[in-house]
Amino acid sequence: MSTSTLPETREERATSSATKYVYSFGGGKADGNGKMKDVLGGKGAGLAEMTNAGLPVPPGFTIQTEACREYMRDGLSPEVDRQMNDALTKLEALQGQKLGAGDNPLLVSVRSGAKFSMPGMMDTILNLGLNDKSVEALAKRSNNPRFAADSYRRLIQMFGNVVLDIEKAAFDEVFEAKKKQKKAKLDTDLDAKALHEVIAEYKKVVKKHARRDFPQDPHEQLVMARDAVFRSWQNERAKHYRRINNIDDMLGTAVNVQAMVFGNLGDTSGTGVGFTRNPATGVNEFYGEFLMNAQGEDVVAGIRTPVHISELHKIMPHVYDQLRDITTRLEKHYKDMQDFEFTIQDGKLYMLQTRNGKRTGLAAVKVAIEMVNEGLITKEEAIFRVDPNQLYDFLVPRLDEKSTKVEVLATGLPASPGAAVGQIVFTADEAVEKAGHGSKKNPVILVRAETTPEDIHGMEVAAGILTSRGGMTSHAAVVTRGMGKCCVAGAGDIEVNERTKEMRVKGQVFHEGDWISLDGTTGRVIKGKLNTMPPSAENEELQTLLSWAEPFRKIGVRANADIPRDAIQAKAFGAEGIGLCRTEHMFFAPDRIPHMRAMILADNEKDRRKALAKLLPYQRKDFEGLLEAMAGLPVTIRLLDPPLHEFLPKREKLMVDIATLPHAGAKQKKALLEEYKEYGAKGVNDLKKLLPELLRRVEELHEFNPMLGHRGCRLGITYPEITEMQARAIFEAAVAVEKKGIKTHAEVMIPLIGIVKEMSNQGAIVKRVADEVFKEKGKKVHYLVGTMIELPRAALVADEIAKEAEFFSFGTNDLTQTTFGFSRDDINKVLPTYLAEGILKQDPFAVIDRDGVGELVRIGIERGRRTRPNLEVGICGEHGGDPSSVEFCHQVGMDYVACSPFRVLTARLAAAQAGASDKLRVEGGRTK
């Protein structure tokens, strides 16, 4: 082991005096300060800072985060115990008390405190030090036997639950039984005698479940509580919270041991929590709640109904004024909205915590702007005060949960934010039929096991989408985000039976027409019909913040859009072009799908070209709408990508229909004729001939792995007439728009290129057709031909491909699939386990995998620009709207990111933050 290597065993660490594990605070001074969040955690750093500022903070000590990391590795070194005992001796001397001993016993709280706020995720123990002797001393000292007994029963319950892993329900059962026996309505109605009876029962619960007595030694209590708080870093709720908030599992938590102050001493004592500004709206108002004669858990657990903090002014005006003064000073000191906790003991105020408060997106923007106006922060600092994802709050409706009781049926993935309330339908056709139009519109929720491109018409009219399968980049998720519709995907507790048109969950059965409500921001599925609230109208403040951010943004932001309506919406959000137009979505419209299917079913080129000729005017009109809407901004149009079988009936369904036709009744035959009329079926005999022919063609197109099969450029190479038709539609549209005096900038993207000769083959067709159109129309327009990099091989041979391609667009959805070997539609079968086991930190389809997929992107850019220095590079996968992925795209030198229209604002702010971070790093280097 080199001399620079950290000690690895407990014995080695015990002999090392370099590590300071324990930091004391109290008596107006602290060993640490507010900048030491890495070491002391957010809570410990806040306590140290408040102590140094002379605020009324109960003294104590913080055991730093390195001790937690050691505990997780192989246990604590004896040095931690030694330093903790020294700090306890110092605390006892400062207080003139002994832990759990003497006539005036010292009692402490033991709380967690990580670098990043994780409210409610880890554990706390209050009143530590109480035992059968000290409870009597506390009763005598306080002259309040009920208070002492109440404090002791709380300790046994918290200690039993947190330290000894006894279910809280075991204690609740005892307590509720005692209240019922004594005919007590409230907890506070139980007197000291009744509470001592509860204590005796609690001890029996401990003995039964933990197979040991409740510890009477205060020092043993302290060591066990400390270790339990360290263990709570690894509890399931804490791990889940870290996953969704991207917090490093190896940070660990600090442990804060602090002298108890009591809010439950009587009517002149109390406790509360608050914010220096309204965390929901951002309004500069004193916001919070408190309870008299209570401990902190009573406020947050909802055991009693708290009172608005403004009422404290009526009860204790001097304490209220002091609290206002202290919290105002704290906000000015930290230059951010504060979330604080306080206790009042016998009329004296104590501050227990301060930290930067969590807030909604609406509040974050308002607070940032107002703090700039107040001179607390700069505009540059303000843009970092808003999480880019919080800008969703400005764009989507929300559920009004105050108007009715909420029953959550299931929780899935929050695939697309917002709220949707409607009646259940199980097919896209039913969605169109039930939704209606004009003045007879009815809100519907399309409920499917999973959606397919054929559902697009139903998805368009539905208020929201619910699927029991699929992930954050499944078809339902991607399409609904593009539409700005609410979607909950992968709600695995829900069983969808599309045949019987039933949805089963929690023993309940829901049928077509039943009402449900979706919260796409949290992933909740709620029973019944809730009201919704419209998006916030505070757009002026949002635009102000974005105007401050824009000068720092170095990377462009485009949108993924297939129709002019989405393009116009994206442009309104600030999109600088279309990064991906998926042409296949255009073919599913009712007036086009028959021609598309005719083309697929054709067994010769002549008939294929005949069907394609009928599709041409539709495609041309689509492209005209997009190019005209973007008015000179780039529009990247991807040629046909999915395998052809997706446009035909499913193989299994055809087999069932063929088998059942001979035995079908009149009603069923009528339904089949209606379903297949677009194929020319007018009678049962037509069906008898048609269905086997359809099945034959579907069998020919059937592939075991269609995502790696006959799709993308492979279709265009096999059937060049498809590429010719699409290219002609693009260039005829561009010429028509420019003849109206509107500039165009079309970028033709060839999908699934992995070999340079594929690119040269398809590129030659596109350029030939362009020349033909320009000659026919007597006008040329500017355009580019490029490719989507979505295969690992394409990234590795990007230098060769760049000889033919004028731009690269990284399709990171498929690049992630092909790099990991994961199916994005089936990953939910393994993802929860991988996340829980720490194999993956995040869903790689939601946040770009920088080490693997990201490295291929980096290689592709470097090699592509080695061949073509002016190569335009962007990204068009769902990662284009993820803030972390946007930062990565900025770092590797992309020209733009593209995302769903309703993620454009998020991408703009994330890109600005990435640019501002670069500026700060450069300035920091100069300072050094």
Side-chain angles (χ1 to χ4, degrees):
M1 182 172 67
S2 70
T3 55
S4 62
T5 303
L6 288 173
E8 293 182 351
T9 68
R10 285 185 292 174
E11 291 73 17
E12 287 175 313
R13 291 198 300 272
T15 61
S16 172
S17 60
T19 303
K20 181 176 175 65
Y21 290 102
V22 183
Y23 293 73
S24 294
F25 56 88
K29 62 180 181 179
D31 296 343
N33 58 59
K35 296 180 180 179
M36 298 175 66
K37 289 184 179 181
D38 284 330
V39 176
L40 303 179
K43 187 173 295 182
L47 291 169
E49 191 79 355
M50 287 194 293
T51 300
N52 288 330
L55 300 182
V57 177
F61 54 87
T62 300
I63 305 170
Q64 71 132 308
T65 54
E66 175 57 26
C68 180
R69 291 190 287 272
E70 289 186 6
Y71 182 88
M72 289 188 290
R73 286 197 295 267
D74 61 349
L76 295 174
S77 74
E79 181 65 15
V80 177
D81 285 328
R82 187 190 69 76
Q83 291 188 26
M84 184 181 78
N85 290 334
D86 288 348
L88 178 60
T89 300
K90 184 177 178 180
L91 175 60
E92 291 174 330
L94 187 64
Q95 292 292 92
Q97 299 171 289
K98 289 288 185 181
L99 180 66
D103 296 335
N104 184 19
L106 171 66
L107 305 180
V108 297
S109 63
V110 182
R111 302 172 187 260
S112 62
K115 177 181 179 180
F116 300 105
S117 175
M118 296 173 57
M121 296 301 110
M122 292 178 289
D123 294 322
T124 294
I125 298 101
L126 304 178
N127 310 326
L128 190 139
L130 280 174
N131 55 27
D132 292 348
K133 289 183 179 179
S134 58
V135 70
E136 299 301 329
L138 182 63
K140 187 175 179 180
R141 178 77 181 181
S142 64
N143 197 29
N144 190 336
R146 190 203 176 279
F147 150 72
D150 185 49
S151 299
Y152 192 21
R153 71 95 186 167
R154 288 173 187 263
L155 169 63
I156 297 173
Q157 179 169 341
M158 277 190 264
F159 194 95
N161 176 235
V162 171
V163 181
L164 302 176
D165 293 323
I166 301 170
E167 290 292 331
K168 188 173 179 291
F171 296 102
D172 290 341
E173 187 178 328
V174 170
F175 197 72
E176 290 304 314
K178 185 59 64 176
K179 283 170 66 178
K180 186 176 181 180
Q181 179 193 347
K182 300 294 183 180
K183 296 180 180 178
K185 186 177 180 181
L186 302 173
D187 297 0
T188 50
D189 292 336
L190 292 177
D191 60 16
K193 182 175 181 296
L195 288 171
H196 275 288
E197 292 171 3
V198 170
I199 288 167
E201 292 297 319
Y202 275 9
K203 287 180 181 178
K204 292 178 182 178
V205 170
V206 170
K207 183 76 171 178
K208 176 183 176 182
H209 292 276
R211 298 183 179 179
R212 61 157 295 164
D213 292 323
F214 177 77
Q216 294 293 306
D217 181 352
H219 288 83
E220 182 185 7
Q221 291 179 10
L222 179 59
V223 170
M224 292 177 71
R226 175 200 67 194
D227 293 352
V229 172
F230 282 150
R231 285 198 302 274
S232 72
W233 176 256
Q234 292 290 69
N235 70 40
E236 287 305 313
R237 65 181 185 272
K239 289 194 286 188
H240 183 75
Y241 186 90
R242 291 198 297 274
R243 282 199 297 271
I244 63 177
N245 288 281
N246 195 24
I247 297 173
D248 190 344
D249 283 331
M250 293 312 297
L251 287 177
T253 181
V255 173
N256 298 286
V257 179
Q258 193 172 17
M260 282 294 302
V261 286
F262 297 96
N264 58 336
L265 264 173
D267 292 338
T268 59
S269 301
T271 189
V273 297
F275 295 83
T276 52
R277 306 189 188 217
N278 188 314
T281 66
V283 172
N284 193 353
E285 62 181 356
F286 204 42
Y287 184 95
E289 297 173 323
F290 76 101
L291 280 170
M292 300 306 292
N293 195 16
Q295 286 197 314
E297 62 169 342
D298 298 330
V299 178
V300 297
I303 296 169
R304 292 160 55 191
T305 304
V307 181
H308 192 276
I309 203 165
S310 61
E311 293 296 308
L312 184 60
H313 188 264
K314 299 175 184 177
I315 300 170
M316 291 183 167
H318 66 289
V319 171
Y320 177 84
D321 291 341
Q322 185 186 9
L323 183 62
R324 286 298 309 264
D325 176 63
I326 288 172
T327 54
T328 299
R329 286 164 56 193
L330 286 170
E331 182 177 271
K332 288 181 178 178
H333 176 76
Y334 285 105
K335 299 181 178 181
D336 203 351
M337 183 187 87
Q338 294 300 291
D339 167 3
F340 57 85
E341 295 179 14
F342 65 94
T343 287
I344 306 162
Q345 179 176 294
D346 284 334
K348 183 177 180 181
L349 176 67
Y350 293 92
M351 299 302 297
L352 304 184
Q353 173 175 285
T354 191
R355 61 188 176 193
N356 293 340
K358 293 189 177 294
R359 66 210 77 174
T360 66
L362 306 177
V365 171
K366 189 175 189 68
V367 169
I369 290 172
E370 290 194 352
M371 285 192 167
V372 170
N373 295 337
E374 293 163 18
L376 285 175
I377 60 175
T378 65
K379 292 178 180 178
E380 190 169 341
E381 290 171 318
I383 70 172
F384 286 99
R385 293 296 174 88
V386 181
D387 182 330
N389 281 323
Q390 289 183 303
L391 298 189
Y392 284 142
D393 287 5
F394 288 87
L395 306 177
V396 295
R398 293 166 289 155
L399 291 175
D400 180 2
E401 301 184 36
K402 296 178 182 177
S403 58
T404 185
K405 185 179 178 181
V406 171
E407 181 183 343
V408 177
L409 297 171
T411 301
L413 296 170
S416 188
V421 179
Q423 294 176 284
I424 294 173
V425 294
F426 292 96
T427 70
D429 290 338
E430 287 166 359
V432 173
E433 180 186 343
K434 302 289 184 185
H437 49 271
S439 60
K440 294 185 178 180
K441 274 193 172 182
N442 301 306
V444 297
I445 304 293
L446 179 58
V447 178
R448 304 280 279 158
E450 58 187 345
T451 62
T452 70
E454 277 196 275
D455 294 322
I456 193 73
H457 57 300
M459 297 172 75
E460 185 177 19
V461 300
I465 315 296
L466 169 63
T467 69
S468 60
R469 296 199 295 265
M472 292 291 282
T473 55
S474 63
H475 177 266
V478 172
V479 173
T480 51
R481 278 198 291 270
M483 293 176 168
K485 287 184 185 290
C486 169
C487 176
V488 175
D493 290 340
I494 288 176
E495 180 185 338
V496 179
N497 190 323
E498 290 155 7
R499 183 180 59 81
T500 60
K501 297 184 179 179
E502 290 179 343
M503 180 182 92
R504 294 177 178 269
V505 59
K506 285 189 174 179
Q508 301 181 60
V509 182
F510 295 83
H511 302 91
E512 186 176 277
D514 290 342
W515 287 86
I516 57 172
S517 303
L518 303 182
D519 184 344
T521 305
T522 64
R524 293 178 302 159
V525 182
I526 297 169
K527 183 178 181 178
K529 183 179 180 181
L530 272 64
N531 294 324
T532 60
M533 299 182 290
S536 169
E538 293 181 336
N539 288 328
E540 186 176 338
E541 290 175 332
L542 174 61
Q543 294 307 317
T544 297
L545 183 80
L546 290 172
S547 71
W548 295 346
E550 283 298 292
F552 297 102
R553 183 163 64 87
K554 307 302 180 189
I555 188 170
V557 177
R558 301 183 188 179
N560 300 334
D562 309 328
I563 57 176
R565 182 188 64 210
D566 290 348
I568 292 167
Q569 179 68 80
K571 196 173 178 183
F573 290 147
E576 298 158 323
I578 300 300
L580 175 62
C581 167
R582 306 173 182 90
T583 56
E584 59 269 15
H585 286 172
M586 301 169 174
F587 293 131
F588 281 103
D591 55 349
R592 306 167 192 205
I593 192 68
H595 305 306
M596 186 64 181
R597 286 171 171 164
M599 186 274 293
I600 296 168
L601 294 172
D603 57 8
N604 59 76
E605 182 180 337
K606 180 181 177 182
D607 287 344
R608 275 194 299 275
R609 287 188 179 276
K610 184 178 177 182
L612 288 166
K614 293 179 180 178
L615 284 171
L616 175 63
Y618 293 115
Q619 283 263 278
R620 183 171 57 232
K621 184 178 178 182
D622 290 331
F623 298 144
E624 279 186 38
L626 281 174
L627 292 166
E628 193 168 326
M630 298 316 289
L633 294 174
V635 176
T636 306
I637 300 167
R638 183 179 71 187
L639 301 186
L640 187 63
D641 185 42
L644 295 180
H645 73 83
E646 287 196 8
F647 298 92
L648 296 177
K650 289 188 179 298
R651 174 170 169 256
E652 292 75 13
K653 185 180 185 310
L654 282 168
M655 294 171 74
V656 169
D657 289 345
I658 290 170
T660 57
L661 181 61
H663 315 288
K667 187 176 180 181
Q668 193 173 2
K669 287 176 181 176
K670 183 178 180 182
L672 287 170
L673 283 168
E674 178 65 25
E675 185 175 349
Y676 291 102
K677 68 179 181 180
E678 65 189 65
Y679 294 95
K682 296 177 181 178
V684 174
N685 288 333
D686 292 334
L687 284 176
K688 289 178 180 178
K689 181 181 179 183
L690 171 67
L691 293 180
E693 288 179 359
L694 273 177
L695 180 60
R696 177 188 59 78
R697 183 57 173 149
V698 169
E699 292 276 14
E700 288 175 357
L701 295 171
H702 176 71
E703 296 174 295
F704 288 107
N705 195 343
M707 291 307 294
L708 297 178
H710 196 192
R711 54 169 285 224
C713 67
R714 300 161 191 175
L715 282 174
I717 292 170
T718 308
Y719 306 118
E721 54 270 23
I722 296 177
T723 302
E724 289 174 7
M725 183 278 289
Q726 291 199 288
R728 175 165 287 275
I730 292 168
F731 296 123
E732 287 184 354
V735 169
V737 171
E738 292 222 354
K739 284 185 175 181
K740 295 178 185 178
I742 301 171
K743 287 287 185 183
T744 66
H745 182 159
E747 298 183 348
V748 183
M749 183 156 68
I750 317 294
L752 212 71
I753 293 292
I755 305 167
V756 67
K757 288 186 177 179
E758 291 174 326
M759 185 68 213
S760 58
N761 175 289
Q762 291 293 283
I765 294 174
V766 172
K767 292 172 185 176
R768 171 174 58 78
V769 172
D771 290 340
E772 290 172 1
V773 171
F774 297 159
K775 186 176 180 180
E776 291 167 12
K777 304 297 180 183
K779 184 175 178 60
K780 289 186 176 182
V781 299
H782 172 71
Y783 71 95
L784 298 176
V785 182
T787 186
M788 181 181 280
I789 303 291
E790 50 195 322
L791 298 173
R793 190 181 194 279
L796 296 174
V797 298
D799 50 343
E800 289 294 315
I801 293 173
K803 292 176 182 176
E804 300 289 338
E806 296 171 294
F807 68 87
F808 285 172
S809 179
F810 283 88
T812 49
N813 292 347
D814 275 359
L815 188 58
T816 299
Q817 279 199 117
T818 52
T819 301
F820 274 100
F822 285 139
S823 162
R824 67 179 178 181
D825 291 317
D826 297 318
I827 192 175
N828 264 6
K829 293 177 181 176
V830 299
L831 186 61
T833 303
Y834 272 46
L835 293 175
E837 295 294 326
I839 296 171
L840 285 174
K841 179 63 180 174
Q842 294 160 314
D843 180 350
F845 290 103
V847 180
I848 199 163
D849 161 47
R850 297 191 183 198
D851 295 337
V853 177
E855 188 60 21
L856 284 171
V857 170
R858 194 186 302 273
I859 289 169
I861 294 173
E862 289 174 356
R863 294 184 181 178
R865 285 184 173 155
R866 191 186 305 158
T867 297
R868 191 184 292 266
N870 63 343
L871 182 74
E872 179 188 87
V873 178
I875 185 174
C876 62
E878 279 300 294
H879 297 111
D882 167 65
S884 171
S885 305
V886 171
E887 179 190 44
F888 171 78
C889 294
H890 167 91
Q891 291 171 350
V892 297
M894 286 193 187
D895 296 296
Y896 68 88
V897 297
C899 56
S900 302
F902 283 80
R903 298 185 87 175
V904 166
L905 293 175
T906 293
R908 286 173 61 192
L909 182 56
Q913 289 178 350
S917 294
D918 277 356
K919 179 175 178 285
L920 291 173
R921 276 192 290 270
V922 170
E923 291 176 350
R926 287 174 184 161
T927 301
K928 291 176 184 177

